[in-house]
Amino acid sequence: MKFTDFVITESAGNSVDPLGYLKPAGEISSGLFRPFTVLTNHPAYQGFLAFAFSFLERNSLKPGQKNFLRRVRDLEILWGVLSVRGGDSVINVTKYEPLTGQDYLCLDDAKKRPALYARLNYGALGHYGGPSTTWRILQPNGAGLSASGAALAEAWQHRNGFDFANLATRWMSGVDLFADAALDEWARVYRLDAEPESAERKTWQALIHDLCSREPLIAPLWDEPVPEDVLALGRQVDTYTSFFQGLLAHYKAHPELCRRIELCNCFERLSGLVQFVFEWEYVRRLDYVQKIGLSANTLPTQVTNDVREAARAFRAVQGSREFWALPGTLENIADFPTMVATVLAHHSAHQRGKGTSPFITGDAIAVQDRVDGQKFMQFFKSVADAPETLLSATQWRYRRNWHFERAQLWQQYAGIQ
């Protein structure tokens, strides 16, 4: 079984990657928190997944064999229903919620609902299979559990005197789940947000230690967790530009790590500005916007200067290997029309390179409904009225998740913060 990254970007406007950001953003992100993707939200999923592999193997079903994916989903439905019953939101929560309101629920009943088995690569296995191989919970290519994965499975399975294998066995044999008088206790102990016990915490501590041993340059991210007051800076528009300053100050003793953090900052600034220019060109071609226009004031000059400087700043910290061509085409642009033409040419080449149509053709929109015109116009007016805010405003609007908050959750789960 081979896992590939399953990536969903965090805003619908970027979901088809019109400017080719996914590859360079992934390159930069992997220099910090390689085990995380935008879909890895909680370590309990990896404990559950390790249990599922272990449970199915004990029942003579291994990865790659027929129906393995469906059997993982069988178990995921059980855990999902328990979590929803316990008040937690999990993957596929909208499909699980109707099940919790029934008087009777067995596996055969679940199997009659095709929606529960649609997109087997979307769920605990699809979201966490790749990251679990990075953590070395799963063997390469998802061939089975590693020794650490077996330890995690064992720790997750046994909590507070409960053995999840007992409930899973009854569920897989067709017993009515809701006939269990202790079901609410099962939900309390195993729900997504339940507190892990010491064995599970120690296993995660060992996994984190192993990761840091393999990648010593990122070890400070785990050994010296980001203080809460610095994380808080990244949650508000008014303080966001100070977030990276706080990170750099916290890790100032680690120059290479600081370079990687600053690269995140530089990427956000340049990609946000370019995204703004691209959406500006898209929205101004909308019929109703063409009639009322977009009052730009001094914005063209400001955005040209900011793009040029952001491109130079990125190239200054990217290191010896150039992995993103766009900054080099923008660092010496002379004027706004040249900058716009460069951005649109980059978009067109990127789209055609992956076999899809550019959103914009000449003075017309070729692919409809890619930018919310009304929301963009509101944002555009705010920066046109105050061009000096352009850089910070676009960085916030188009910010990316560099996983510092996720790391905090993993650290708390492992009991190291």
Side-chain angles (χ1 to χ4, degrees):
M1 178 183 296
K2 181 174 175 58
F3 295 117
T4 56
D5 289 336
F6 186 72
V7 178
I8 294 177
T9 54
E10 282 130 317
S11 64
N14 295 336
S15 63
V16 290
D17 193 27
L19 293 166
Y21 287 165
L22 284 178
K23 186 175 181 179
E27 171 94 8
I28 295 166
S29 182
S30 67
L32 296 176
F33 296 107
R34 197 164 56 86
F36 295 152
T37 73
V38 296
L39 297 174
T40 48
N41 291 317
H42 202 290
Y45 284 101
Q46 289 172 306
F48 161 76
L49 190 59
F51 165 79
F53 271 67
S54 174
F55 179 85
L56 293 174
E57 184 170 359
R58 291 198 301 270
N59 286 273
S60 302
L61 189 60
K62 297 182 179 181
Q65 291 183 315
K66 183 179 180 181
N67 289 328
F68 181 81
L69 299 181
R70 288 185 65 84
R71 298 295 80 81
V72 171
R73 181 57 55 85
D74 290 342
L75 293 168
E76 186 177 356
I77 291 168
L78 168 63
W79 185 52
V81 169
L82 287 181
S83 291
V84 174
R85 189 179 179 94
D88 295 337
S89 180
V90 292
I91 301 170
N92 290 322
V93 63
T94 57
K95 297 176 182 178
Y96 297 146
E97 282 177 332
L99 301 178
T100 62
Q102 299 183 166
D103 296 325
Y104 175 91
L105 180 65
C106 68
L107 181 56
D108 284 344
D109 182 34
K111 288 180 177 179
K112 295 175 184 177
R113 298 169 178 255
L116 292 173
Y117 293 87
R119 299 177 68 189
L120 292 174
N121 65 338
Y122 182 90
L125 185 58
H127 288 22
Y128 290 84
S132 287
T133 60
T134 303
W135 281 112
R136 296 192 176 176
I137 294 167
L138 296 180
Q139 296 175 14
N141 296 328
L145 290 174
S146 66
S148 296
L152 182 61
E154 177 73 11
W156 189 92
Q157 176 182 333
H158 296 96
R159 287 183 175 183
N160 198 30
F162 286 78
D163 183 345
F164 198 78
N166 292 337
L167 186 64
T169 298
R170 296 201 296 273
W171 168 252
M172 299 293 269
S173 65
V175 171
D176 174 19
L177 180 63
F178 294 158
D180 192 322
L183 190 63
D184 287 339
E185 280 298 295
W186 285 103
R188 180 184 64 79
V189 172
Y190 287 100
R191 59 186 284 188
L192 177 68
D193 286 336
E195 285 289 317
E197 294 196 0
S198 60
E200 193 175 351
R201 290 189 190 278
K202 289 179 180 178
T203 304
W204 270 110
Q205 290 169 16
L207 288 165
I208 291 169
H209 180 267
D210 180 59
L211 175 70
C212 291
S213 296
R214 287 182 276 123
E215 302 184 26
L217 285 173
I218 58 89
L221 294 171
W222 299 95
D223 296 337
E224 305 166 32
V226 182
E228 173 58 29
D229 61 336
V230 175
L231 288 174
L233 295 173
R235 300 176 189 139
Q236 302 291 334
V237 59
D238 294 338
T239 59
Y240 189 68
T241 55
S242 299
F243 172 58
F244 289 97
Q245 296 172 16
L247 291 174
L248 293 171
H250 182 66
Y251 292 115
K252 63 183 179 181
H254 310 285
E256 172 56 22
L257 181 58
C258 284
R259 184 192 69 82
R260 297 181 185 192
I261 291 170
E262 180 59 18
L263 194 60
C264 297
N265 186 26
C266 290
F267 178 84
E268 260 189 2
R269 291 190 168 203
L270 179 58
S271 64
L273 287 165
V274 172
Q275 186 79 27
F276 172 74
V277 170
F278 176 71
E279 293 186 5
W280 181 354
E281 289 300 302
Y282 187 96
V283 170
R284 77 175 183 83
R285 288 167 169 80
L286 295 173
D287 291 340
Y288 65 93
V289 175
Q290 287 180 352
K291 295 176 182 177
I292 62 174
L294 290 170
S295 179
N297 297 331
T298 61
L299 200 56
T301 299
Q302 184 70 51
V303 73
T304 303
N305 292 338
D306 283 351
V307 165
R308 184 168 53 234
E309 293 307 311
R312 291 173 179 172
F314 181 90
R315 298 199 80 197
V317 297
Q318 72 174 346
S320 58
R321 190 175 67 83
E322 184 174 357
F323 57 90
W324 189 26
L326 186 59
T329 66
L330 294 173
E331 66 175 348
N332 293 311
I333 50 171
D335 50 43
F336 184 71
T338 303
M339 190 259 294
V340 169
T342 302
V343 170
L344 293 184
H346 170 78
H347 163 69
S348 180
H350 173 69
Q351 292 293 99
R352 296 191 188 285
K354 61 184 182 181
T356 57
S357 299
F359 295 0
I360 297 170
T361 301
D363 290 328
I365 292 175
V367 182
Q368 298 293 322
D369 302 322
R370 290 305 180 188
V371 182
D372 186 320
Q374 294 290 353
K375 289 183 179 179
F376 181 82
M377 287 169 64
Q378 294 172 5
F379 178 73
F380 184 91
K381 184 179 186 306
S382 70
V383 293
D385 290 346
E388 69 279 3
T389 68
L390 176 69
L391 188 57
S392 59
T394 52
Q395 183 170 8
W396 171 260
R397 177 178 169 88
Y398 303 108
R399 66 193 182 279
R400 308 185 77 86
N401 190 334
W402 302 110
H403 309 303
F404 288 95
E405 294 273 5
R406 286 192 172 97
Q408 182 191 51
L409 173 59
W410 258 254
Q411 288 159 336
Q412 291 171 341
Y413 197 85
I416 60 174
Q417 186 180 38

